[in-house]
Amino acid sequence: MHIRRATALDFPLLASFSVPAFINDELFKYTNPFASKYSEAFRGYFLRRLKQRNAQPGFIVWVAVNDADELSVTEESSTQEGGNHVGAEEICGYAVWCRYGKSEAAKGWQGQTWSEWLEYTLIDVEWQYISFFGLDRSASPGAHRSLETTGFSTDIFSPLHERWHLHNLCVNPKFQRRGIGGRLISWGLEQAADEKVPVTLWTSALAEPLYRKMGFVTWARRDVPGIRIGLPSLVHWPRGVQAVENNEAK
């Protein structure tokens, strides 16, 4: 197995297995309560998001793939029948990372070509159109508005000016419990250690134990309307980096 940068050809595939991977996620059950009934609309959400993130300054999408000689007989049969693969590879999962900050190290990740700017802008217009006319049938407009009015989207990590942030981690359900998520997380932890900056993320209660095992600690918890427990925000401090106290969480 190895990881590589995602390409435009990967995104339809990633969006497809994002649906079963996130359909029972606490936050998505609140914001997209009709995802089971309108799974194709839910898939469209992930496809737009992945394309836009990939074109946005500072963002990078990594995919974990099995090499051809790593596929089991069952998996080889699955790929021959139209499984999740590109050529001789089979995609196992993906991670969406972003480098925030204004340092030279951060700027090295924040370039944007003219074509990327155009793609980002066009997808942003598409988002606004879909939102205005309520075309995403998997979503609850009221839930999204509620998140905005309660300030959930506010950047709770703003005191950490320089950091890597894990926006999304998704493992193809057929490849879960094989260490793939940990491999994708490790890329960001190693990069952050090299740059001596922390790593941050939002998570669900279900996924929280994975991050705890990898050394993440609580930064804050944010209550979400419609969810009985607050969603934790976590931070990982690389060795040699002084931890910062989150006074806003008090």
Side-chain angles (χ1 to χ4, degrees), residues 73-115:
V73 173
T74 302
E75 288 162 356
E76 286 178 351
S77 174
S78 175
T79 59
Q80 291 170 2
E81 294 171 1
N84 296 330
H85 69 290
V86 178
E89 300 177 336
E90 185 160 17
I91 298 178
C92 307
Y94 69 88
V96 181
W97 287 94
C98 184
R99 180 61 160 92
Y100 292 97
K102 297 182 179 180
S103 66
E104 290 303 313
K107 291 177 182 178
W109 294 96
Q110 295 169 351
Q112 186 182 47
T113 65
W114 183 87
S115 61

Side-chain angles (χ1 to χ4, degrees), residues 216-247:
F216 283 84
V217 296
T218 300
W219 176 256
R221 286 185 178 270
R222 179 66 58 83
D223 292 330
V224 180
I227 298 179
R228 288 177 296 177
I229 59 175
L231 293 183
S233 57
L234 307 179
V235 61
H236 183 282
W237 303 102
R239 183 174 299 176
V241 175
Q242 181 65 42
V244 176
E245 186 176 2
N246 181 18
N247 294 321

Side-chain angles (χ1 to χ4, degrees), residues 13-39:
L13 203 67
L14 305 185
S16 292
F17 67 70
S18 294
V19 173
F22 287 113
I23 203 161
N24 291 316
D25 178 86
E26 293 162 305
L27 186 57
F28 281 116
K29 286 176 72 173
Y30 175 63
T31 60
N32 297 74
F34 312 111
S36 296
K37 184 176 182 180
Y38 300 106
S39 59

Side-chain angles (χ1 to χ4, degrees), residues 50-216:
L50 284 164
K51 288 181 176 180
Q52 189 174 46
R53 293 299 199 198
N54 193 56
Q56 192 170 352
F59 280 81
I60 180 172
V61 182
W62 288 100
V63 294
V65 295
N66 263 343
D67 298 311
D69 57 359
E70 294 178 305
L71 298 178
S72 67
V73 173
T74 302
E75 288 162 356
E76 286 178 351
S77 174
S78 175
T79 59
Q80 291 170 2
E81 294 171 1
N84 296 330
H85 69 290
V86 178
E89 300 177 336
E90 185 160 17
I91 298 178
C92 307
Y94 69 88
V96 181
W97 287 94
C98 184
R99 180 61 160 92
Y100 292 97
K102 297 182 179 180
S103 66
E104 290 303 313
K107 291 177 182 178
W109 294 96
Q110 295 169 351
Q112 186 182 47
T113 65
W114 183 87
S115 61
E116 288 173 335
W117 174 86
L118 180 61
E119 181 173 21
Y120 177 85
T121 302
L122 291 174
I123 295 175
D124 192 52
V125 172
E126 184 180 4
W127 276 115
Q128 295 182 43
Y129 180 84
I130 290 172
S131 177
F132 183 81
F133 290 102
L135 300 181
D136 183 355
R137 303 182 74 183
S138 73
S140 166
H144 284 276
R145 285 194 296 270
S146 181
L147 286 183
E148 293 175 359
T149 57
T150 55
F152 180 77
S153 60
T154 302
D155 189 358
I156 200 170
F157 298 108
S158 57
L160 305 177
H161 303 296
E162 298 285 334
R163 61 188 172 92
W164 277 95
H165 185 85
L166 179 60
H167 278 270
N168 293 99
L169 177 69
C170 180
V171 176
N172 185 332
K174 66 182 284 189
F175 289 110
Q176 290 180 350
R177 301 186 184 281
R178 301 193 190 184
I180 295 165
R183 182 78 176 270
L184 290 163
I185 296 169
S186 293
W187 179 88
L189 297 183
E190 292 169 5
Q191 190 64 43
D194 288 343
E195 299 177 16
K196 299 190 181 308
V197 297
V199 176
T200 58
L201 58 86
W202 286 98
T203 186
S204 64
L206 184 64
E208 187 175 359
L210 168 65
Y211 299 113
R212 297 284 185 187
K213 289 180 181 179
M214 300 191 75
F216 283 84

